[in-house]
């Protein structure tokens, strides 16, 4: 197949992945403020789309990690081909759509990495993989970032409740807790998460497009993304956030109704901090994992809650399977496309048909917990114990938690 045609096909596929990433991850920023009533659903999704767009222009460190850190390329390494990148993207998109349809906890970022790694191993060989970079920039952040974000969210939640607790100085009874300011603060913190998401997730697609341009000899090895690549990826993730995100986030609001403003504020603050720090360091972080850890941590930080560790365990299993599952799909696609033009056509046709089927299937299924993205599962992992009946009336109708 003509190299320019293949490059154009890969770029189109990469932008479609960026689009799916947008509606897959909108809830990371906007589920908690919608659940607490801080922002209306449609307004939240529009705000997330705009901030994802802006965030994509703020940094390119993660894009450089993807384009030059995972797969060896250039004169001193293995020259990856557009065919292999095509196969990796196809594996990532298929796994992304399967998990979106089934509501399985997963990471769009790890689906992308897994698909690319699997395709490279099948199409070139295991020596094409830069395992040191994968360990430092992907595996270790995946392990530590959710734990750190959850711990910070836990401490922030405890601190927020401690600082705003009000009691009658004479009787010691609880007074109405004036925590309405946290709801207003959530508008800022959720916006910061959306901005951070753009600085991290949109760059992964920039890195993929840059990689295919390098592999085709259209861009020098080691260089960063061109301005038109940054712009295209920014708009792709923003459009995906708006067109599909609000439907998903509407679903997730029902799964997070127990989240209170102070918790949401703490979770969003820790999530945004972790993502922005990772983007600055060039870590290709899973924003879903960070947001998940933050929500669970904030739930643990509020007294009167228990964590459904069974659900949390299923989330962890979903994370664990994403890399190898997407890798297998990418590898199978790579073996197919290596047969020639016919193989590429078959892979493209089969992949398009599979995606179309899943979109149609999602329209027929009711929107609910059975087909929601991963953060809804996190919302369900935090369960609140029923309060005991009050033995005495409390001023102004009771204390607000």
């Amino acid at each position: 197949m003509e190299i320019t045609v293949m490059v154009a096909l890969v770029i189109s596929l990469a932008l479609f992945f960026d689009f799916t990433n947008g509606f897959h991850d909108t809830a990371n920023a906007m589920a908690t403020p919608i659940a607490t009533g801080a922002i209306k659903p449609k307004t939240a999704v529009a705000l997330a789309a705009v901030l994802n767009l802006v965030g994509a222009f703020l940094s390119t460190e993660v894009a450089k990690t993807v384009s030059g850190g995972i797969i060896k390329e250039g004169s001193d390494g293995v020259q990856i081909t557009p065919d292999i990148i095509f196969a990796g993207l196809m594996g990532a998109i298929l796994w992304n759509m399967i998990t979106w349809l089934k509501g399985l906890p997963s990471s769009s970022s790890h689906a992308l990495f897994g698909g690319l790694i699997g395709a490279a191993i099948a199409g070139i060989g295991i020596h094409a993989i830069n395992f040191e970079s994968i360990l430092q920039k992907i595996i270790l952040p995946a392990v530590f970032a959710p734990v750190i974000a959850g711990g910070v969210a836990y401490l922030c939640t405890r601190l927020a409740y401690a600082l705003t607790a009000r009691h009658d100085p004479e009787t010691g009874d609880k007074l109405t807790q004036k925590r309405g300011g946290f709801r207003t603060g959530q508008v800022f913190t959720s916006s910061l998460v959306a901005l951070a998401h753009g600085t991290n997730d949109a760059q992964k697609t920039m890195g993929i497009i840059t990689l295919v341009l390098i592999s085709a000899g259209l861009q020098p090895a080691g260089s960063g993304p061109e301005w038109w690549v940054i712009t295209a990826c920014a708009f792709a993730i923003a459009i995906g956030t708006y067109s599909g995100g609000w439907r998903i986030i509407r679903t997730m609001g029902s799964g997070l109704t127990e989240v209170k403003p102070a918790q949401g504020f703490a979770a969003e603050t820790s999530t945004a901090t972790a993502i922005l720090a990772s983007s600055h360091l060039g870590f290709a972080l899973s924003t879903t994992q960070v947001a998940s850890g933050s929500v669970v941590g904030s739930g643990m930080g509020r007294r009167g809650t228990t964590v459904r560790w069974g659900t949390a365990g299923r989330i962890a299993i979903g994370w664990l399977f994403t890399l190898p599952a997407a890798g297998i799909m990418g590898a199978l696609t790579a073996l197919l496309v290596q047969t020639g033009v016919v193989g590429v056509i078959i892979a493209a046709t089969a992949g398009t048909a599979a995606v179309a089927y899943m979109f149609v299937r999602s329209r027929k299924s009711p929107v609910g917990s059975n087909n929601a993205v991963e953060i809804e599962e996190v919302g369900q992992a935090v369960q609140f114990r029923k309060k005991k009946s009050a033995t005495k009336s409390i001023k102004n109708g009771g204390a607000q938690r």
Side-chain angles (χ1 to χ4, degrees), residues 357-378:
Y357 168 77
M358 283 183 270
F359 266 121
V360 172
R361 178 74 178 273
S362 70
R363 297 283 183 178
K364 294 180 179 179
S365 303
V367 177
S369 59
N370 66 315
N371 64 351
V373 290
E374 51 268 29
I375 197 169
E376 181 180 9
E377 295 286 341
V378 179

Side-chain angles (χ1 to χ4, degrees), residues 89 163 400:
L89 280 169
L163 292 177
Q400 177 187 340

Side-chain angles (χ1 to χ4, degrees), residues 111-398:
L112 177 61
F113 301 140
L116 192 61
I117 292 168
I121 291 175
I124 303 173
I126 197 168
H127 56 282
I129 308 302
N130 189 341
F131 286 103
E132 182 180 356
S133 180
I134 290 173
L135 178 64
Q136 294 177 353
K137 296 296 183 75
I138 298 174
I139 303 298
L140 291 180
V143 173
F144 290 107
V147 176
I148 294 173
V152 172
Y154 170 85
L155 294 175
C156 288
T157 302
R158 295 298 297 267
L159 182 64
Y161 276 96
L163 292 177
T164 56
R166 299 176 68 243
H167 296 82
D168 189 299
E170 297 181 359
T171 65
D173 292 338
K174 282 187 177 181
L175 302 176
T176 299
Q177 308 300 301
K178 295 183 177 180
R179 297 189 177 110
F182 286 114
R183 182 176 283 108
T184 302
Q186 278 192 277
V187 177
F188 171 76
T189 53
S190 61
S191 297
L192 192 60
V193 174
L195 186 72
H197 182 265
T199 67
N200 202 280
D201 278 46
Q203 288 189 57
K204 292 158 190 171
T205 307
M206 296 178 202
I208 291 296
I209 295 177
T210 300
L211 184 59
V212 74
L213 293 174
I214 291 172
S215 70
L218 302 175
Q219 190 171 324
S223 58
E226 300 285 346
W227 68 268
W228 66 266
V229 174
I230 298 174
T231 302
C233 292
F235 276 97
I237 198 169
I239 294 170
T241 299
Y242 185 76
S243 63
W246 94 270
R247 173 180 178 271
I248 296 173
I249 208 164
R250 179 184 60 185
T251 302
M252 302 228 278
S254 63
L256 292 169
T257 53
E258 297 290 356
V259 176
K260 300 300 180 183
Q263 292 172 260
F265 182 87
E268 292 149 16
T269 300
S270 60
T271 297
T273 302
I275 296 173
L276 288 172
S278 297
S279 298
H280 177 71
L281 296 173
F283 293 158
L285 199 65
S286 167
T287 56
T288 299
Q289 291 183 354
V290 175
S292 300
S294 296
V295 172
V296 172
S298 68
M300 294 174 63
R302 180 189 168 196
R303 291 181 180 178
T305 67
T306 57
V307 175
R308 296 177 182 169
W309 291 112
T311 301
R314 288 194 295 274
I315 294 170
I317 291 173
W319 294 343
L320 195 62
F321 273 95
T322 293
L323 270 171
I328 291 171
M329 293 182 181
L332 293 175
T333 307
L335 294 175
L336 183 60
V337 300
Q338 282 192 310
T339 61
V341 176
V342 175
V344 174
I345 294 174
I346 292 174
T349 303
T352 302
V355 170
Y357 168 77
M358 283 183 270
F359 266 121
V360 172
R361 178 74 178 273
S362 70
R363 297 283 183 178
K364 294 180 179 179
S365 303
V367 177
S369 59
N370 66 315
N371 64 351
V373 290
E374 51 268 29
I375 197 169
E376 181 180 9
E377 295 286 341
V378 179
Q380 293 175 348
V382 179
Q383 182 182 23
F384 291 80
R385 294 195 297 266
K386 293 182 179 180
K387 296 180 180 179
K388 297 180 180 179
S389 57
T391 56
K392 52 174 75 175
S393 61
I394 301 175
K395 186 178 179 181
N396 293 331

